[in-house]
Amino acid sequence: MRIYYLTFPLFLLAFLSSCKTVENEHQPSLKTSLKGKFLMGVAVNDAQTSEQDTAGLRLIKQHFNAVAAENCMKSEVIHPEENRYDFTRSDRFVAFGEKYKMAITGHTLIWHSQLSPWFCVDKEGKNVSREVLIERMKNHIHTVVGRYKGRIQGWDVVNEAFEDDGSYRKTKFYEILGEDYIPLAFQFAHEADPNAELYYNDYSMAHKGRRDAVVRMVTQLKAKGIRIDAVGMQGHMQMDFPVAKEFEKSLLAFANTGVQVMITEIDMTILPTSKQNIGADVGTNFEYKKEMNPYPDALPDSVAQAWNTRMEEFFNLFLKHSDKISRVTVWGVTDADSWRNDWPIRGRKDYPLLFDRNHQPKPIVEAILKSVNKNN
Ligand code: XIL
């Protein structure tokens, strides 16, 4: 009898925890359904990596098998002064990805936005010499990539180097080093972690100008024998941009160069924009006007439906080309997490992601699951 009293609670515990596993296994899950097609990724913030956002965490564990650093690895955060790194947030991010066995993307090494103010200038604010900038890039990349060597699947090495017309963006890196800064960045990243995958990442990739420029750049890197594994097509979209056909053309053009394609930063704003293609330059900012914030309470059904239909069109495109795509990443878990609420106009209410503010999946989630099953 005594043994019974002792063992029964243990049996009960074991039974209950096995029920939980079974229940989780049967919950609809994007990552499980998309197995064999591509990784399903999400950008995570500090509230999630510290596990304070428990509702968000539940969705991350259920649906995603890849994580990207939304902000914590950008140079202004990780390398605030020339002789000071701050790995507090990035260490937590990497540990989080490992804990949940996710493919980890480091975002991003060389980028003109959220760039540490000291990076390209001297104490008087004047551009540093070519030699100095190369040395700084090398130290930055070697230190950051080296710290996480063997733990990160791949790095967005260079972010947003081109304009819509395909010309080089006139960043400080370009001003001082010309186009050489791109191969140098890839070379330094490869030296620091020879097994890490290396990516080039950009927005508005459906533009022919960018498409051609990126194809040229990837071809040149490959001709020089420099490692590049994938092109990341940021999926910051609007209801009227990009045109799916043009996006598809770019996807195929990138795949044709022999690299994988990643759809890296999906969100689709439903809010009005001042021009047809607003892009995704974080430096863009417009003044708040009430008429630019039409859905402060909720999204009318018809508008939500149009959003879901358009998002489904894109996911169907990704599924159609899943042999060329290694990862699809959404830029945040729920609508409340999205940077789109504050960009390019602060203080609006947007609805750009797959899960709503109550952590409920939108119809698109069901639609993706259905499409995958249909095609299997
Ligand atoms: C955004 C973050 O989501 C925001 O929190 C931050 O304030 C600005 O940057 N392209 C990129 C991402 O490559 O790093 C940007 O992320 C969005 C545009």
Side-chain angles (χ1 to χ4, degrees):
M1 202 57 182
R2 257 178 65 202
I3 290 181
Y4 171 80
Y5 278 126
L6 272 176
T7 51
F8 182 69
L10 287 178
F11 275 133
L12 190 67
L13 246 178
F15 174 72
L16 287 177
S17 66
S18 77
C19 283
K20 214 171 142 215
T21 321
V22 170
E23 180 201 36
N24 285 343
E25 269 167 16
H26 286 99
Q27 270 178 4
S29 154
L30 290 173
K31 69 172 175 191
T32 311
S33 303
L34 290 164
K35 253 198 193 119
K37 306 259 185 234
F38 40 71
L39 290 168
M40 190 64 214
V42 61
V44 287
N45 59 32
D46 295 327
Q48 289 148 358
T49 58
S50 63
E51 306 203 4
Q52 279 161 356
D53 173 10
T54 50
L57 179 63
R58 214 174 313 121
L59 290 179
I60 295 170
K61 290 199 291 190
Q62 185 180 342
H63 291 287
F64 301 97
N65 49 14
V67 275
E70 184 179 6
N71 283 305
C72 68
M73 289 180 148
K74 292 172 179 172
S75 70
E76 68 174 9
V77 178
I78 209 166
H79 197 174
E81 292 170 65
E82 184 169 9
N83 295 316
R84 185 167 67 87
Y85 286 87
D86 183 349
F87 295 113
T88 323
R89 295 163 61 187
S90 52
D91 281 357
R92 211 186 294 133
F93 161 74
V94 176
F96 176 85
E98 287 180 325
K99 178 174 175 186
Y100 295 109
K101 301 191 171 39
M102 303 201 175
I104 303 173
T105 302
H107 172 84
T108 173
L109 296 169
I110 297 295
W111 188 31
H112 66 282
S113 286
Q114 294 175 281
L115 172 68
S116 245
W118 60 269
F119 209 114
C120 300
V121 292
D122 62 18
K123 292 207 170 63
E124 278 85 51
K126 294 208 192 77
N127 284 358
V128 291
S129 69
R130 186 178 169 87
E131 293 68 36
V132 170
L133 185 56
I134 292 177
E135 202 47 36
R136 287 183 180 180
M137 277 177 54
K138 186 173 176 180
N139 284 337
H140 176 76
I141 295 175
H142 277 192
T143 308
V144 175
V145 176
R147 183 176 182 89
Y148 301 113
K149 186 177 176 189
R151 301 171 66 192
I152 294 224
Q153 170 149 347
W155 286 93
D156 289 339
V157 179
V158 175
N159 203 26
E160 303 174 357
F162 295 102
E163 302 282 358
D164 284 353
D165 65 3
S167 60
Y168 280 90
R169 185 190 286 276
K170 306 299 175 290
T171 65
K172 289 260 176 218
F173 295 104
Y174 183 79
E175 253 177 53
I176 300 169
L177 297 175
E179 33 190 277
D180 290 354
Y181 85 89
I182 298 178
L184 281 170
F186 278 82
Q187 180 198 320
F188 295 146
H190 186 57
E191 286 164 7
D193 187 352
N195 292 324
E197 294 175 359
L198 306 180
Y199 318 133
Y200 174 75
N201 194 48
D202 212 332
Y203 63 81
S204 297
M205 295 282 242
H207 271 299
K208 185 171 169 7
R210 272 181 212 249
R211 177 192 307 149
D212 295 346
V214 171
V215 165
R216 212 177 318 119
M217 182 207 61
V218 174
T219 313
Q220 282 167 1
L221 286 177
K222 283 184 165 282
K224 286 191 178 134
I226 292 177
R227 177 170 184 167
I228 175 163
D229 296 86
V231 167
M233 302 176 72
Q234 293 182 17
H236 298 298
M237 303 191 274
Q238 303 168 205
M239 292 302 283
D240 56 0
F241 183 87
V243 174
K245 260 268 154 265
E246 294 301 307
F247 191 91
E248 184 175 30
K249 274 191 207 162
S250 298
L251 197 163
L252 294 173
F254 300 148
N256 257 332
T257 65
V259 293
Q260 289 285 307
V261 175
M262 295 175 155
I263 316 297
T264 52
E265 303 186 10
I266 294 178
D267 50 32
M268 189 164 68
T269 184
I270 196 72
L271 300 179
T273 46
S274 51
K275 57 177 191 170
Q276 201 231 345
N277 169 25
I278 200 78
D281 188 343
V282 302
T284 307
N285 194 253
F286 301 106
E287 203 191 320
Y288 180 91
K289 287 196 192 90
K290 207 163 173 236
E291 64 269 25
M292 296 302 269
N293 188 27
Y295 313 117
D297 304 317
L299 211 51
D301 283 350
S302 61
V303 180
Q305 210 170 15
W307 184 95
N308 277 282
T309 305
R310 180 162 157 78
M311 194 54 110
E312 191 180 344
E313 184 187 1
F314 277 91
F315 268 90
N316 283 337
L317 189 67
F318 307 155
L319 285 170
K320 175 175 163 199
H321 295 299
S322 63
D323 58 326
K324 299 171 181 64
I325 298 177
S326 51
R327 172 169 55 89
V328 171
T329 288
V330 287
W331 205 242
V333 183
T334 75
D335 287 342
D337 300 321
S338 174
W339 75 304
R340 286 277 191 173
N341 294 301
D342 288 304
W343 183 92
I345 298 177
R346 269 184 212 295
R348 298 195 296 176
K349 190 162 181 180
D350 206 344
Y351 303 80
L353 294 169
L354 306 187
F355 297 90
D356 69 19
R357 286 174 170 76
N358 297 317
H359 299 87
Q360 295 308 305
K362 297 183 185 173
I364 177 65
V365 174
E366 182 66 21
I368 298 170
L369 297 172
K370 258 207 196 120
S371 286
V372 185
N373 292 337
K374 204 170 67 197
N375 293 329
N376 272 342

